[in-house]
Amino acid sequence: KDGQPINKVLVPLTLMPGGNTDVKVFWRNLRKNPNDASCEKISASVRSYYATLNTAEAALLALTGELTPSERASGFFSALPRGTRLQKITITDSVAVADFSSELSRLIGSCNLYAARAQIVETLKQFSSVKTVVITIDGALENLLNKTP
């Protein structure tokens, strides 16, 4: 109409100085670990992100997203079922609680279960603020994903 804002929304944005930060994302890779009978040997790829207050969230979003062409060409792949989404990540008193969508419950076989758990746990444990990882699906504790083999 007259060029004046009708609905004004303020969104707080906190930028950290320092530019980019490197984050490790852990994947399976049979080229690097050809004799992995336990399905728990995983390897890291490194991604660079603009510095953010929640690098743990950025790392898990990368883990639930698509591999880069370079990662795929290097033999990396994910045990997480396609379509798995991160719904929430909290870190309190060195305990990270990562909540995922129901697609994560579609893991088939103990190998994929152990590998998915290892990917999530190692991706989070790279951060000094995380000592323990709890995995939930749609807010419910998933016992199989929280047991060590």
Side-chain angles (χ1 to χ4, degrees), residues 27-32 45 47 66-78:
W27 312 99
R28 295 209 57 214
N29 189 322
L30 294 179
R31 286 187 201 160
K32 292 184 178 190
S45 66
R47 293 191 181 182
E66 295 292 321
L67 283 89
T68 66
S70 173
E71 289 166 340
R72 234 181 269 107
S74 296
F76 291 107
F77 65 99
S78 181

Side-chain angles (χ1 to χ4, degrees), residues 28 33 35-42 110-116 118 149:
R28 295 209 57 214
N33 304 303
N35 301 316
D36 181 20
S38 71
C39 301
E40 293 181 279
K41 291 183 180 168
I42 52 177
S110 59
C111 184
N112 282 331
L113 183 80
Y114 293 142

Side-chain angles (χ1 to χ4, degrees), residues 36-91:
D36 181 20
S38 71
C39 301
E40 293 181 279
K41 291 183 180 168
I42 52 177
S43 301
S45 66
V46 178
R47 293 191 181 182
S48 186
Y49 291 96
Y50 188 80
T52 174
L53 288 176
N54 198 342
T55 52
E57 180 180 30
L60 287 182
L61 288 172
L63 184 63
T64 58
E66 295 292 321
L67 283 89
T68 66
S70 173
E71 289 166 340
R72 234 181 269 107
S74 296
F76 291 107
F77 65 99
S78 181
L80 276 64
R82 185 175 286 278
T84 298
R85 295 177 321 280
L86 175 67
Q87 298 186 136
K88 185 178 180 182
I89 172 75
T90 59
I91 302 172

